[in-house]
Amino acid sequence: IFNAVKIYSEKKVHEIQILDISAREKNKCVNIDLIKKIRSEISVPLAVGGGINNINQVSSLINEGVEKVILNSVNFRNISLIDEIANKFGSQSVVISIDVKKYENKYEIFSYNGTKKETIDLIEYLKNVQNHGAGEILLTSIEREGTKTGLDLNLYEYVKNAVHIPLIASGGAKNMENIINFFNKSPFSAVSCGKIFVFYGNRDAVLINYPDKITIENMMNNYE
């Protein structure tokens, strides 16, 4: 992981997001010592999530140089944590991660790594976390995640007008053309990518890659 984050940092990615999906299952917060080591290796903004339950854990991460914390499952039992973080560190410091998948022809929210279906309506929940002080929303299509089959344009079209805070699309990014096409059709602020920059080719050989500076600048000039 250290080599990977260093490469991405050197290539000047906009932000690195680290999500410890096993932390919640283990009833532990993301390893702060590990995050401290990672923070020392990179020079780009870092957003971190995984098992965060209280403001003290958030404070520890922020004190180690983490710019943003990412919350997901905790919101369904303690949504006031969003308010606490926003009041202490500012809304820009808290990102709400929402995992959804199509269930009986409707987009449903799933928590605890996709194992628990929540009853709240997606649009209602988006507005709710915004009202509690969220600075950004990371919206992931569970069914597309890791597939490289393309972003779920129908999902992002469905929610695009629900809130006025930045929305980040995640799950299924196929290639740069897919991302450019997405920005041409959507007002989303960003696309979060993983597999397309870690694996290469039909056999998913491990190859840490990222578009060069000129390619990124040419692409983003269309949206400034």
Side-chain angles (χ1 to χ4, degrees):
I1 186 172
F2 298 116
N3 287 337
V5 296
K6 285 176 69 175
I7 291 171
Y8 288 134
S9 179
E10 290 168 359
K11 290 182 177 294
K12 300 299 180 183
V13 299
H14 177 72
E15 176 180 282
I16 292 175
Q17 298 173 338
I18 295 178
L19 294 169
D20 184 349
I21 61 174
S22 68
R24 179 67 56 192
E25 295 175 358
K26 298 175 182 177
N27 198 29
K28 293 181 179 180
C29 179
V30 59
N31 188 314
I32 293 179
D33 289 335
L34 174 64
I35 297 304
K36 181 178 180 180
K37 171 66 174 172
I38 291 172
R39 177 72 273 181
S40 70
E41 299 283 351
I42 64 176
S43 58
V44 297
L46 179 63
V48 173
I52 297 171
N53 289 313
N54 57 62
I55 193 67
N56 291 332
Q57 293 167 335
V58 173
S59 297
S60 295
L61 289 165
I62 298 292
N63 289 340
E64 293 299 344
V66 171
E67 279 79 9
K68 304 173 186 177
V69 293
I70 303 173
L71 306 180
N72 190 314
S73 301
V74 67
N75 302 321
F76 298 101
R77 67 173 190 272
N78 182 21
I79 199 166
S80 64
L81 180 58
I82 302 174
D83 300 86
E84 289 186 73
I85 299 170
N87 290 334
K88 185 170 183 178
F89 299 107
S91 291
Q92 80 286 342
S93 297
V94 56
V95 180
I96 301 306
S97 169
I98 305 175
D99 298 331
V100 305
K101 61 182 174 182
K102 210 71 168 293
Y103 186 79
E104 296 182 350
N105 207 36
K106 180 183 178 182
Y107 287 111
E108 301 279 8
I109 302 173
F110 283 76
S111 59
Y112 295 91
N113 295 331
T115 62
K116 180 183 179 183
K117 185 167 79 74
E118 300 293 340
T119 58
I120 188 170
D121 175 75
L122 175 57
I123 298 299
E124 179 185 351
Y125 184 61
L126 288 167
K127 293 178 178 179
N128 198 14
V129 296
Q130 174 184 260
N131 292 339
H132 276 274
E136 294 178 336
I137 292 172
L138 172 65
L139 186 60
T140 300
S141 168
I142 296 175
E143 296 155 307
R144 300 288 182 107
E145 193 171 18
T147 65
K148 292 196 295 186
T149 56
L151 295 159
D152 187 346
L153 298 179
N154 292 329
L155 167 61
Y156 303 120
E157 177 70 21
Y158 175 64
V159 305
K160 68 179 184 181
N161 295 319
V163 295
H164 57 71
I165 58 177
L167 290 163
I168 305 169
S170 173
K174 186 176 183 179
N175 48 40
M176 290 301 296
E177 183 179 359
N178 179 221
I179 296 171
I180 293 171
N181 182 55
F182 175 76
F183 281 131
N184 286 336
K185 295 181 178 181
S186 169
F188 271 54
S189 299
V191 172
S192 179
C193 303
K195 193 170 184 178
I196 65 169
F197 296 142
V198 177
F199 299 100
Y200 179 79
N202 294 331
R203 297 186 178 183
D204 282 342
V206 177
L207 176 63
I208 305 299
N209 68 97
Y210 190 72
D212 59 47
K213 181 179 179 181
I214 294 176
T215 299
I216 293 294
E217 288 180 348
N218 288 339
M219 182 179 77
M220 298 314 297
N221 282 340
N222 295 323
Y223 310 105
E224 293 178 353

